């Protein structure tokens, strides 16, 4: 089974990548150095791709410093974009979740509740960098629902779902089948297959 290092401190993201890619023959492991997930600096940017590219550049430097440059490495950056609040929380999704939480978002909204998630996944193949983007359209629920998932999952209802369950009310498999991360990682998987990785 081929191995892909995933540089993330987010256990939810790691679990979703494992759920999606393990059955397809990829072992997804947390990228660690001496048993620790290395810290990377997230630059201030109004663009998820720029943030993800800055992270992969640091990750590749770390691989080089460990003489592991031939290994593959994945980073990703995601954000929630709410139509009624242009570009918000967007690239500030992590800070906004920490400060006002899902309940704070619910308090800001009236009838207009459409939103989407974006994921920018960036892969170092051992030779080149490739970018994969996934989007999931949906709406913000009227109240938080569900215990699964992480982050904004309890307040996001994907349009592609068969019902009005939030991501947090779905299994990993159900979320991945329609989520932004699922779409980006399936594109990544197709690339790996086509390129004989
Ligand atoms: P990050 O910068 O990509 O780690 O994510 C930004 C923020 O969005 C973090 O607070 C995450 O918890 C949240 N987030 C990222 N992906 C998801 C998701 O799939 N569902 C819900 N929240 C997410």
């Amino acid at each position: 089974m081929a191995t892909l290092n995933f540089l993330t401190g987010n256990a939810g993201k790691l679990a979703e990548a494992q759920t999606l890619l393990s059955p397809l023959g990829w072992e997804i492991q947390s990228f660690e150095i001496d048993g620790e997930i290395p810290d990377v600096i997230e630059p201030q940017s109004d663009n998820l791709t720029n943030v993800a590219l800055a992270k992969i550049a640091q990750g590749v430097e770390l691989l080089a410093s460990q003489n592991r440059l031939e290994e593959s490495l994945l980073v990703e950056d995601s954000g929630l974009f709410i139509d009624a609040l242009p570009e918000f929380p967007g690239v500030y999704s992590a800070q906004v979740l920490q400060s006002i939480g899902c309940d704070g978002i619910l308090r800001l909204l009236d009838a207009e509740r459409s939103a989407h998630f974006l994921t920018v996944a960036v892969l170092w193949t051992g030779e080149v960098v490739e970018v994969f983007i996934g989007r999931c359209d949906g709406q913000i629920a009227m109240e938080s629902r569900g215990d699964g998932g992480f982050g904004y999952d309890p307040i996001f209802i994907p349009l592609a779902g068969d019902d009005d369950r939030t991501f947090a009310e779905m299994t990993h498999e159900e979320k991945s089948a329609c989520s932004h991360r699922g779409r980006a990682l399936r594109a990544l998987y197709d690339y790996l297959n086509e390129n004989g990785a």
Side-chain angles (χ1 to χ4, degrees), residues 13 76-78 93-94 97 117 150-153 175 180-181:
K13 287 185 178 184
E76 66 106 296
D77 217 62
S78 299
S93 292
L97 188 68
F117 268 112
F150 64 95
Y152 295 102
D153 280 350
K175 178 181 171 186
H180 43 303
R181 183 163 301 100

Side-chain angles (χ1 to χ4, degrees), residues 86-165:
E87 299 301 317
F88 186 87
V91 291
Y92 306 107
S93 292
Q95 294 92 321
V96 170
L97 188 68
Q98 252 186 352
S99 54
I100 63 172
C102 288
D103 289 343
I105 295 284
L106 293 176
R107 279 194 292 274
L108 292 174
L109 296 181
D110 294 320
E112 168 54 54
R113 309 187 81 86
S114 46
H116 65 274
F117 268 112
L118 278 182
T119 287
V120 180
V122 183
L123 174 72
W124 165 252
T125 64
E127 288 177 356
V128 292
V129 166
E130 295 287 338
V131 176
F132 307 91
I133 295 178
R135 173 176 172 138
C136 178
D137 289 296
Q139 56 177 329
I140 305 298
M142 297 303 289
E143 70 287 308
S144 278
R145 278 189 272 121
D147 302 320
F150 64 95
Y152 295 102
D153 280 350
I155 60 167
F156 187 81
I157 303 170
L159 265 186
D162 302 335
D163 46 39
D164 74 341
R165 280 180 303 159

